[in-house]
Amino acid sequence: MAENAASLGQFDFAGDDHVVPFQVEGLDVRGRAVQLGPLLDTILARHDYPTPVARLLAEAIVLTVLLGTSLKFEGKFTVQTKGDGPVDLLVADFSTPENVRAYARFNEEALAKAVKEGRTEPEQLLGKGVLAFTIDQGRFSQPYQGIVALDGASLEEIAGTYFRQSEQIPTRVRLGAAELFDRDENGKPRHRWRAGGLIAQFLPEAPERMRQPDLHGGDGDSGARDHAEDDAWAEARSLVETIDADELTDPLVGTERLLYRLFHERGVRVYEPKAVYDRCSCSRDKLKGVLKGFTAEEIEASQENGEIAVTCEFCSTTYRFEVSEIEVA
């Protein structure tokens, strides 16, 4: 081994904002883990979201990063929720190979009421609705979208349900977000956001081993199940479920160290980390192209003092166009 090679379990080997792929051969498990720091803090600070909204969007960003970095092609992966709760919309997307952006929409009055009543769990903020996963490989292919119901469960539980129902892959997802209050190098109080997550999937060579107990069918279901859970997956899932939320966000518990804590008895192998960045895909040219599709009436309604201002919902950048720049067909 090279003298400067890092060993598994070493603090901050990958560091923040790097996704670490891993494999546990003894349990036929593969997955990815990540801790987000500066990237997440920048996105959330840009919008100055209330704490419950910021925490929820942080989990959505982690989920998007974990799933988006698995793409083997050029494209975009989007996680989006639409519900009837105080936070009616979350959008986070990952553009290969490394760019992340996100935003949330919420009803201030409904959110204030929910906070006052202590209803700030993710499922209470989102309400009933849908969670959609969209893969877009560009203009020469049809986007693929998978949808699962928001039914009163957390984001990590809903993601697991999606993989079970749509992909038939036994999957366990863990997500966590936290606020950190400390002091900077000058001793001044500082507030930061951190988040972390892990996805583990059971991928044995024999596909029949992936079969799980059937889901309950609802009213009238006798509850009988004819497929026992594979012992290896049962063990892996149980280990993942022991993760404390604080471990996912603790800056002193690096990603490799967490994986070592979980799987060292079975032998866990980590691969080269993948960096992710806070980068929006908006541009002046793209927005100008959109505006050129407006009718004369729409341009008139959008302009003020001969100027049209467009603000990106993701990065909050405002682009200004003179009406004379927009050619109306």
Side-chain angles (χ1 to χ4, degrees):
M1 180 181 294
E3 191 172 307
N4 63 349
S7 60
L8 186 59
Q10 180 177 336
F11 286 157
D12 300 322
F13 174 29
D16 290 341
D17 304 340
H18 286 74
V19 178
V20 179
F22 68 89
Q23 181 175 1
V24 186
E25 294 179 353
L27 297 175
D28 292 313
V29 165
R30 296 179 186 176
R32 290 171 299 284
V34 70
Q35 285 190 338
L36 299 180
L39 174 150
L40 177 70
D41 204 40
T42 300
I43 291 176
L44 298 182
R46 182 181 294 131
H47 296 279
D48 194 25
Y49 292 118
T51 296
V53 179
R55 189 182 302 275
L56 194 57
L57 185 60
E59 290 191 2
I61 293 171
V62 172
L63 179 60
T64 303
V65 166
L66 288 173
L67 300 180
T69 50
S70 69
L71 298 182
K72 306 300 183 184
F73 50 80
E74 184 176 344
K76 180 181 291 186
F77 175 78
T78 303
V79 171
Q80 179 174 321
T81 68
K82 285 187 178 181
D84 61 4
V87 183
D88 64 312
L89 180 70
L90 295 174
V91 182
D93 69 43
F94 179 88
S95 295
T96 57
E98 59 193 13
N99 299 334
V100 185
R101 63 179 190 168
Y103 79 94
R105 187 177 67 196
F106 62 98
N107 182 295
E108 291 187 16
E109 185 177 338
L111 179 65
K113 181 180 180 182
V115 171
K116 184 178 181 180
E117 296 173 353
R119 295 183 291 106
T120 57
E121 292 300 315
E123 55 271 26
Q124 295 169 321
L125 294 176
L126 294 172
K128 301 293 185 181
V130 296
L131 171 66
F133 299 96
T134 305
I135 296 176
D136 187 350
Q137 297 186 56
R139 60 177 180 170
F140 298 112
S141 64
Q142 193 73 15
Y144 164 80
Q145 186 172 75
I147 296 176
V148 63
L150 293 174
D151 58 359
S154 65
L155 280 179
E156 65 178 37
E157 291 171 328
I158 294 169
T161 298
Y162 167 77
F163 278 99
R164 178 169 183 166
Q165 294 179 344
S166 301
E167 307 293 334
Q168 285 83 51
I169 300 175
T171 302
R172 186 67 172 97
V173 178
R174 297 302 312 273
L175 304 172
E179 294 178 277
L180 268 62
F181 298 91
D182 57 11
R183 295 183 180 274
D184 62 19
E185 58 275 9
N186 297 316
K188 295 181 179 180
R190 177 175 59 178
H191 167 262
R192 294 182 293 159
W193 277 99
R194 291 183 61 79
L198 179 147
I199 180 171
Q201 296 185 302
F202 184 50
L203 296 166
E205 291 186 8
E208 62 270 15
R209 291 181 58 204
M210 295 170 61
R211 303 193 69 174
Q212 301 178 88
D214 295 332
L215 294 171
H216 195 281
D219 294 342
D221 190 340
S222 66
R225 302 290 177 267
D226 56 5
H227 300 299
E229 186 173 57
D230 187 276
D231 289 343
W233 173 240
E235 180 180 342
R237 180 179 51 77
S238 296
L239 289 171
V240 171
E241 289 172 355
T242 66
I243 299 174
D244 188 89
D246 291 341
E247 291 181 288
L248 292 170
T249 59
D250 190 339
L252 297 180
V253 181
T255 303
E256 289 87 0
R257 184 172 182 83
L258 176 58
L259 292 171
Y260 180 78
R261 284 182 177 180
L262 289 174
F263 301 118
H264 68 278
E265 291 186 356
R266 283 294 195 165
V268 57
R269 178 181 299 175
V270 298
Y271 298 91
E272 183 177 354
K274 300 178 180 180
V276 290
Y277 300 93
D278 163 36
R279 291 176 182 156
C280 190
S281 59
C282 71
S283 71
R284 183 177 180 82
D285 287 343
K286 286 183 180 179
L287 291 172
K288 187 174 181 178
V290 173
L291 291 175
K292 284 196 172 190
F294 279 24
T295 64
E297 291 78 12
E298 289 171 328
I299 291 177
E300 177 62 28
S302 302
Q303 68 90 26
E304 184 175 348
N305 298 324
E307 183 180 78
I308 298 176
V310 182
T311 299
C312 176
E313 293 178 301
F314 288 96
C315 68
S316 298
T317 300
T318 298
Y319 298 88
R320 300 184 183 279
F321 302 87
E322 297 293 332
V323 172
S324 59
E325 294 181 66
I326 312 302
E327 298 178 359
V328 181

